[in-house]
Amino acid sequence: MSGGSETASSREYDSNGSGASSRRKAAPKDEGSKGGWFPIGYKEGFNQWWASMSPQDAEHKVLSYIPYLSQAAPSQHQTGMLAPGETEQNTSAADDLTRSTSQSAETPASTDPYGPRRWYSSLVKLSGKQRALNEFSIERVGEDVDNNLVMVHGYGAGLGFFYKNFEGLSRQSNWKLYALDLLGMGRSSRPSFKVYAKDRQGKIDEAEAWFVDSLEEWRKQRGIDRFTLLGHSLGGYMAVAYALKYPGHLNKLILASPVGVPEDPYAVNADMPEPGDSTVQAEVTQDAAETTSPTTKPAAKQPRQRPYSKWFTYLWDANVSPFSLIRMSGPLGPRLVSGWTSRRFSHLPSDEAQALHDYAYSLFRQRGSGEYALAYVLAPGAFARSPLIRRIAQVGRQEYIPTINSSDPAAASAKVKENGLPVVFFYGDHDWMDKQSGREAAAKLNEQRRIATQDQNEEARQQDQGSGSVHVVRNAGHHVYLDGWEEFNKLMVEEMKDTARSEEKRRRREVAANPEGEAHSSVLMPGIAKGRANERSEGSKGFALGSQTGLDGAIMAGQPDVSAA
């Protein structure tokens, strides 16, 4: 998509291809949800606690709602350890993560009109003790993989929350999709989280490294050189941290309602940890059935509040996570979780909402791990201790050593500088995250591109990829990818097509610049390598993009907002 613009879609889109929205088939609210905070009664809560659905079964149940996949949805058997004293039949190897495991399923063209596609669920072992990432991936059978999309969830969530996006986004030719559970969250392993630094910045750096180092190790294991990274909420914050620490591997950064963008004096000036403020309580109190209603108008921006109460700040300072309270509550746990899930998923069909409730509880009750990093990167209220608005302009402008196929040690160790990176922000129009901070961040990125290219020739300016843009999805809240999934998928497909075109141009330039010599390993993809061999023997034939299928006819470009940065 073009940089420096803000768009809002004017149509709904059904990822099943029918052209009709299914989002309005919301579940009727239980009587208990109308008046009380916790709609699940004590007896039902006790029964859910006693049954203790495993994370594997809960994840499988959610993924079974993916169109054309249904009950064939794969779900690998290993899960991070549960709380001490608790057991789980389907995680017998949870504390012996010595090898990667996987399951797969294929949807043939006879039953999948956008197939054939192959779906994988894998546990990817990393170095060190108790380090492994839960992965769900989709590839198109019989096609070369030219581009990769990696999706990362938010705080305490899991990859299953993207179940409304997998099918629609995986229709794109020559793309492979990956969704990951962050280390210490979801069904990834849950090693003990420790910070050894004594200084404030050192603690922030260690907490960020916990997540981004595992993502980089996963990338190397999968042999991916360049990819598009999509992160939601805390995943968006960590996606920016990854782009800054490991430059040269992203071709687009997509931030869905990212946490930690704006600057807040309470969060950045006091010693760590300290009080802050925001409308973060809306994540618990906001009813998705209202935010997704076309008759509900976005609320006016709330004025800045004073710091939270002493007891709340004390719990935050003591690193007592909300999941700790759920684990300690025993049979009351499902009832407490229902206070959030009954509102968060109230716009969904009742069976899907129940599946997501079971999934959320199965994850929340697991052993505490990555959740303890939150207090080191955010102050109470979700304001960052090291705000992204201070760092965003350097995204895509770092020096790095590219992976080069060369026998010359000097060439293999030579540093190059990134020539910009497209950064795309997504927000819901009812989002409790600050949309204006996203617009300001996009403006900083566009200004940085102007500075970087002001003394360059026209060709160099055209090759610079730096840009910032903002999409606001109608009738959606903080979980924009789920609340407004039809519109989100549509806009995401446009971003993927834009990335595919840019990557094709880049590969052509690099092949033309090195017809017989060294090239970045990212250039030597299967299709390109074959093309180079054919060029040498038969002359230049060019490289054509694979045809885009499925969503092409339904895409409508959003209208630019002239007030956007």
Side-chain angles (χ1 to χ4, degrees):
M1 304 288 286
S2 58
S5 65
E6 179 174 342
T7 65
S9 176
S10 59
R11 289 180 56 187
E12 290 184 351
Y13 175 73
D14 175 16
S15 74
N16 292 334
S18 66
S21 173
S22 63
R23 173 151 46 99
R24 304 302 167 218
K25 300 176 183 177
K29 290 186 180 181
D30 295 333
E31 291 183 3
S33 66
K34 293 181 179 179
W37 274 95
F38 309 112
I40 289 183
Y42 291 103
K43 182 177 180 180
E44 184 180 354
F46 178 85
N47 290 337
Q48 289 185 15
W49 171 79
W50 184 261
S52 298
M53 180 181 289
S54 72
Q56 176 198 349
D57 290 341
E59 181 187 84
H60 172 78
K61 187 176 178 181
V62 171
L63 296 180
S64 69
Y65 287 101
I66 298 175
Y68 315 119
L69 188 59
S70 188
Q71 294 302 315
S75 187
Q76 57 86 15
H77 292 298
Q78 290 185 245
T79 301
M81 292 175 63
L82 296 177
E86 296 181 326
T87 62
E88 183 186 81
Q89 292 180 345
N90 291 326
T91 58
S92 58
D95 56 354
D96 183 26
L97 303 175
T98 58
R99 60 187 179 87
S100 299
T101 62
S102 65
Q103 287 190 345
S104 65
E106 184 170 325
T107 51
S110 59
T111 59
D112 180 357
Y114 305 101
R117 289 179 279 193
R118 190 170 290 119
W119 314 71
Y120 294 92
S121 175
S122 306
L123 186 70
V124 182
K125 176 71 171 66
L126 306 178
S127 62
K129 185 178 180 181
Q130 281 288 314
R131 296 182 73 246
L133 296 186
N134 184 42
E135 168 199 287
F136 185 73
S137 61
I138 313 156
E139 67 179 13
R140 302 184 59 78
V141 178
E143 296 181 2
D144 290 332
V145 177
D146 292 340
N147 295 286
N148 297 277
L149 172 64
V150 179
M151 308 168 73
V152 180
H153 61 78
Y155 176 67
L159 59 83
F161 279 43
F162 292 118
Y163 79 107
K164 289 285 193 182
N165 314 115
F166 292 139
E167 194 281 318
L169 300 186
S170 63
R171 296 179 184 180
Q172 299 309 294
S173 296
N174 304 109
W175 278 82
K176 184 168 184 177
L177 270 62
Y178 296 90
L180 300 175
D181 282 341
L182 291 169
L183 183 65
M185 295 184 184
R187 294 185 62 215
S188 291
S189 66
R190 295 182 172 239
S192 298
F193 176 81
K194 295 180 181 179
V195 167
Y196 299 95
K198 302 300 181 183
D199 62 295
R200 184 176 186 279
Q201 187 58 49
K203 292 178 179 178
I204 295 172
D205 292 343
E206 280 194 39
E208 292 179 357
W210 166 275
F211 299 106
V212 301
D213 289 356
S214 61
L215 176 58
E216 172 64 2
E217 186 176 351
W218 170 87
R219 178 196 69 79
K220 291 179 177 178
Q221 283 213 28
R222 287 308 192 207
I224 299 172
D225 189 67
R226 289 172 63 82
F227 62 100
T228 296
L229 180 57
L230 162 64
H232 171 252
S233 196
L234 180 66
Y237 177 97
M238 293 303 168
V240 175
Y242 176 85
L244 291 171
K245 186 171 184 178
Y246 296 106
H249 296 295
L250 298 183
N251 50 34
K252 182 170 284 186
L253 183 60
I254 300 176
L255 308 176
S257 192
V259 72
V261 178
E263 184 167 330
D264 178 79
Y266 295 116
V268 300
N269 292 335
D271 292 334
M272 183 186 302
E274 74 286 323
D277 78 278
S278 87
T279 55
V280 66
Q281 63 268 22
E283 174 63 11
V284 177
T285 61
Q286 194 176 64
D287 194 318
E290 296 177 359
T291 62
T292 59
S293 171
T295 60
T296 303
K297 295 182 179 180
K301 182 176 176 59
Q302 297 296 317
R304 189 63 66 86
Q305 302 172 359
R306 298 303 299 170
Y308 281 108
S309 60
K310 290 184 178 179
W311 68 266
F312 181 85
T313 304
Y314 172 80
L315 291 176
W316 193 283
D317 290 355
N319 217 348
V320 177
S321 79
F323 310 121
S324 299
L325 301 177
I326 292 170
R327 287 189 289 269
M328 291 187 295
S329 65
L332 293 178
R335 192 163 188 261
L336 296 177
V337 173
S338 73
W340 176 69
T341 58
S342 63
R343 293 166 177 80
R344 175 86 294 282
F345 309 127
S346 59
H347 63 302
L348 296 171
S350 58
D351 54 343
E352 294 183 32
Q354 181 62 49
L356 286 168
H357 166 79
D358 294 338
Y359 179 56
Y361 177 61
S362 75
L363 299 183
F364 294 171
R365 66 186 292 267
Q366 290 191 86
R367 175 185 177 182
S369 178
E371 67 200 62
Y372 297 126
L374 187 70
Y376 292 97
V377 296
L378 302 179
F383 280 98
R385 302 186 189 279
S386 179
L388 298 183
I389 195 70
R390 292 182 174 183
R391 302 187 270 170
I392 196 73
Q394 298 308 309
V395 169
R397 304 293 173 184
Q398 308 292 306
E399 287 189 338
Y400 71 103
I401 300 176
T403 305
I404 294 180
N405 297 314
S406 175
S407 57
D408 182 358
S413 61
K415 286 188 175 182
V416 299
K417 189 172 184 179
E418 294 176 294
N419 66 332
L421 179 69
V423 181
V424 183
F425 293 83
F426 278 86
Y427 292 96
D429 61 353
H430 294 81
D431 210 318
W432 57 264
M433 286 295 178
D434 183 12
K435 292 186 282 293
Q436 184 56 34
S437 66
R439 297 184 181 104
E440 293 171 2
K444 283 181 173 286
L445 289 160
N446 292 320
E447 174 62 14
Q448 191 66 27
R449 175 177 181 172
R450 186 193 67 77
I451 295 172
T453 61
Q454 61 185 354
D455 296 326
Q456 295 180 342
N457 58 36
E458 184 60 28
E459 182 181 2
R461 287 196 189 100
Q462 299 242 340
Q463 293 180 10
D464 192 280
Q465 297 296 305
S467 67
S469 58
V470 177
H471 295 304
V472 176
V473 176
R474 296 175 309 136
N475 305 322
H478 176 54
H479 293 260
V480 56
Y481 61 92
L482 181 60
D483 295 343
W485 60 272
E486 301 103 324
E487 187 176 331
F488 180 85
N489 286 354
K490 179 188 70 173
L491 294 170
M492 273 294 300
V493 165
E494 280 295 294
E495 295 295 345
M496 292 167 70
K497 289 182 177 181
D498 174 71
T499 299
R501 289 189 291 266
S502 297
E503 284 296 283
E504 178 68 11
K505 291 177 182 177
R506 182 188 65 83
R507 288 191 286 262
R508 285 171 176 253
R509 286 195 302 267
E510 294 194 14
V511 170
N514 301 278
E516 302 290 342
E518 298 87 7
H520 292 186
S521 63
S522 59
V523 176
L524 298 179
M525 291 180 166
I528 299 299
K530 292 176 184 176
R532 287 183 64 173
N534 291 337
E535 280 186 333
R536 292 170 184 168
S537 60
E538 302 175 17
S540 177
K541 292 184 178 179
F543 304 99
L545 278 173
S547 61
Q548 303 291 341
T549 61
L551 299 181
D552 285 15
I555 297 300
M556 288 184 62
Q559 300 300 315
D561 185 337
V562 295
S563 66

